[in-house]
Amino acid sequence: MKVITATQAASLIEDGWWVVPGGFGCCGHPDSLSKALRKRFLETGRPRGLNLLFASGAGDKQARGLNAWALDGMLNRVIGGFWGFCPALVQMAREQRIEAHNWPQGVISKLFSSIASGSPGLLSKVGLGTFVDPRLEGGVVEGCHRPLVESVLFREEDYLFYPAPKVDCALLRGTVADAQGNISLSGETSYMDALSQALAARNSGGLVIVQVQSIDDKQLPPADVRIPGMLVDYVVLTEDSHPQTYGTPYDAAYTSNQAKQSAVEAVPPSLAKHLIVARATEEMRKHDGAHINLGIGIPALLGAEARAQGWSDYTLSIESGLIGGIPDEGLAFGAVRNPDAILEQSALFDFYDGGGIDVAFLGFGEVDAMGNVNVSRFGGRLPGAGGFINISQ
């Protein structure tokens, strides 16, 4: 492991590489690395034609996260699950300035492990009958690009095959690195896919570069290590702010079930949101002891409402890998105050895909008279499917 600057890290990325950016929505993205890569491209025109693979694209709906890379010529092919916080990237996809594909978030989360294990891809029933199915649109966002997803018959049953690209570089974020390059995520809101992304890059012969908040001369306790140093090529000590989320710079309650929740300025919901949340909470109360998933947007408000009503006979989860607690929302979605447990994102999607959820409260853009639901594309927006397809199926 070698300590380098963000500028030096950016200089290592070559044209046409497959890059895996770390983070989940509003949390955990290595912005120092993103800014340095953007600066290099604006100054030199390199690297060109990068390909991206992400489960939940990081961003603040403005300039941070993957929005920083929305530059003509810098990107070629982008495969992503949730795009809602990256409007600049969405605009490029809609205008066919990049080749864009929208796959289920949980599929991509688990695809990193498939890449790491040397598998040619992931075989799954998730996405059958949706726009991701190649017999419909194949997950292609715009244009006449060939779907990458394949429909296959295995043991006389239909499956979708999601191909696994080789990863040339993983740009990740941790909290602390020690002298051996071991990485702790102790101050991050979740573990996201950091370990499997590092494994995927390492076993593809690629680079693993990790942005951290501090470097400790003492070796980290083994239980604190989320990315072992043997996987890490370079560490970058951030020179910028290192916020836990784009909406909340720091909240001790995000990483502890004991810390007192900090005071948050309440934003009165609209009457429509109030009525929806109140009605949905009534429905929650019918399911004592249930495992409940809350989606992004209005559903994320249900945890606080249920707690305010004194009802707690349930277990909440959100797909970033967090169990229990009170999910945050807005530009802090992906974080939970006072969580009970933190899992790898892919492990939680194993639970979801296997049928572990009893009840899910999900947002939608449109629903028709037959109950068909559209969450991924409406008006000028293209938030993408996110975890909706995994969770609902």
Side-chain angles (χ1 to χ4, degrees):
M1 183 277 293
K2 183 179 180 181
V3 179
I4 60 175
T5 67
T7 299
Q8 290 172 322
S11 70
L12 299 172
I13 311 302
E14 298 183 10
D15 293 355
W17 271 15
W18 273 96
V19 176
V20 168
F24 178 99
C26 300
C27 315
H29 183 72
D31 282 291
S32 292
L33 297 177
S34 285
K35 288 168 61 178
L37 199 58
R38 175 187 175 88
K39 184 173 185 290
R40 180 192 169 200
F41 181 82
L42 290 174
E43 291 177 350
T44 69
R46 294 288 187 272
R48 298 186 63 82
L50 297 179
N51 306 293
L52 304 184
L53 178 67
F54 60 83
S56 178
D60 64 350
K61 299 186 178 181
Q62 296 185 52
R64 292 186 286 185
L66 298 183
N67 294 296
W69 296 346
L71 301 168
D72 287 323
M74 184 174 176
L75 303 179
N76 172 40
R77 175 180 289 174
V78 178
I79 302 173
F82 184 70
W83 297 60
F85 293 113
C86 314
L89 211 58
V90 167
Q91 185 175 355
M92 294 187 78
R94 297 297 298 266
E95 295 174 359
Q96 301 184 49
R97 290 151 58 199
I98 55 175
E99 178 186 335
H101 301 262
N102 182 202
W103 296 356
Q105 179 178 320
V107 165
I108 298 176
S109 177
K110 294 199 284 188
L111 190 63
F112 296 126
S113 293
S114 296
I115 297 170
S117 68
S119 170
L122 183 69
L123 196 65
S124 176
K125 285 184 173 291
V126 173
L128 286 170
T130 74
F131 73 92
V132 182
D133 194 317
R135 291 165 293 193
L136 297 173
E137 299 174 26
V140 176
V141 172
E142 291 282 3
C144 301
H145 300 292
R146 179 181 61 84
L148 304 175
V149 183
E150 300 175 35
S151 174
V152 299
L153 191 66
F154 179 70
R155 293 185 175 179
E156 300 182 352
E157 292 190 36
D158 285 334
Y159 284 85
L160 297 183
F161 177 74
Y162 297 88
K166 295 291 186 180
V167 176
D168 297 295
C169 182
L171 298 178
L172 308 176
R173 191 178 101 165
T175 307
V176 181
D178 67 16
Q180 285 72 44
N182 297 306
I183 306 295
S184 163
L185 275 66
S186 57
E188 309 304 317
T189 57
S190 68
Y191 300 147
M192 298 162 282
D193 290 313
L195 175 58
S196 59
Q197 289 170 333
L199 287 165
R202 171 68 176 175
N203 285 356
S204 295
L207 297 178
V208 177
I209 305 174
V210 185
Q211 170 190 315
V212 297
Q213 193 170 25
S214 64
I215 298 177
D216 196 333
D217 292 335
K218 298 179 180 179
Q219 187 170 355
L220 289 167
D224 292 348
V225 175
R226 301 309 309 175
I227 308 175
M230 68 175 189
L231 302 178
V232 179
D233 295 293
Y234 300 100
V235 166
V236 172
L237 182 61
T238 182
E239 299 174 358
D240 304 302
S241 61
H242 194 94
Q244 284 181 306
T245 78
Y246 290 131
T248 306
Y250 178 76
D251 190 333
Y254 285 155
T255 57
S256 170
N257 57 14
Q258 301 297 322
K260 182 178 179 181
Q261 294 184 17
S262 60
V264 178
E265 183 179 353
V267 179
S270 66
L271 177 58
K273 285 186 178 180
H274 174 77
L275 292 172
I276 293 168
V277 170
R279 178 63 185 85
T281 305
E282 284 185 28
E283 201 66 27
M284 282 181 69
R285 294 179 70 94
K286 298 177 182 178
H287 302 279
D288 288 344
H291 294 107
I292 298 174
N293 169 268
L294 298 182
I296 192 171
I298 296 176
L301 301 171
L302 268 64
E305 179 67 17
R307 180 70 61 87
Q309 293 186 17
W311 184 59
S312 59
D313 187 16
Y314 56 85
T315 300
L316 291 181
S317 67
I318 61 170
E319 57 262 40
S320 55
L322 296 166
I323 307 293
I326 302 296
D328 214 334
E329 45 115 20
L331 290 182
F333 184 76
V336 164
R337 289 189 170 91
N338 299 138
D340 295 331
I342 304 175
L343 310 179
E344 306 286 339
Q345 180 181 187
S346 58
L348 193 54
F349 271 110
D350 283 338
F351 177 69
Y352 291 172
D353 290 348
I357 299 174
D358 297 311
V359 186
F361 290 85
L362 305 173
F364 65 88
E366 296 177 311
V367 60
D368 69 15
M370 300 298 292
N372 297 303
V373 178
N374 170 23
V375 300
S376 56
R377 180 172 176 168
F378 38 91
R381 300 179 60 193
L382 196 156
F388 188 99
I389 297 175
N390 293 85
I391 293 164
S392 61
Q393 291 194 347

